[in-house]
Amino acid sequence: MSILKATLRHLLRRKWMLTLVVVLFGTALVVLTHVYDVAGIIEARDAALEAMREGREPPSDEQIEAMAQGAGIGVLFQVLNFFFSLGIVLVGMLMPSGVVANERRSGAIMLWAQHPMPLSRFYLQQYSGIQLTNLVAQGLFGLAAVLAVLPVGAFPATETGVFTRICLLGAMACAVSFAITALGIRRAAFLALAYYAASSLAAGIISVGTQFGVTGTTKVILDALPFLIFPEAAIGDLVVGFESGVAWDWDATGMVLYHFALWTAIAWLGLRRIERKPLKL
């Protein structure tokens, strides 16, 4: 059996449960957005709140009902969307599951070191199977998101954009996690998640800095940060190009490709180092 097939079978046996949980959150989003007009309910809630702030008379029964329904449906949608969105990234990060670092720690890596194929090539082939399995899972998540009636503004406007964004986010998360474990670092998924959270914070800082028009050294640092943080913003800019009449953002495309190349190179360098000294003494 080839390395690719063996990896696919292993992941299908071991990683199906988390994927199923995320699919269930996606299915719940589909059901919620088809049973209720989530976007309309949220708009009615906001309109009722605005009318209350502007008017001096007490709120009418219709306004109270709109606010109550909007609050309940809005909170439920936000909770489901949060766990669904987080699950997309978590599945990608957990797919590699510390494969290199754990096997090096346990000594199982010596079984593969006896193979005539170099360790770096062996694990890169494993990574191909891991990424392929991950993309199948991300495709299921993307299908759920396409079937849901998502509010305008928080997501790409086209179904192709929604599907592509989810697949790219999951694939990038998997690349980061594999690169970390390829460096021989255990708990790669945890570190990858910490990196993702720190990147979200840095992206907020970049947005604020851009709005205030910072200059000097601060601007140089903010301009360099997109090359170091998780490229969620670049992926978002890339998929906007699927909308009709919107020019394709080649800068965002280049940034996404750069990050894939960066983390693949980090993984390769880590594997080459481990290849020279497979066991961690």
Side-chain angles (χ1 to χ4, degrees), residues 153-169 231-254 256:
F155 303 91
T158 63
E159 294 179 350
T160 304
V162 171
F163 186 88
T164 305
R165 179 178 180 272
I166 288 174
C167 290
L168 287 177
L169 283 174
E232 186 169 11
I235 291 173
D237 293 338
L238 183 154
V239 299
V240 170
F242 290 108
E243 297 180 21
S244 177
V246 177
W248 190 263
D249 194 333
W250 290 105
D251 290 339
T253 304
V256 173

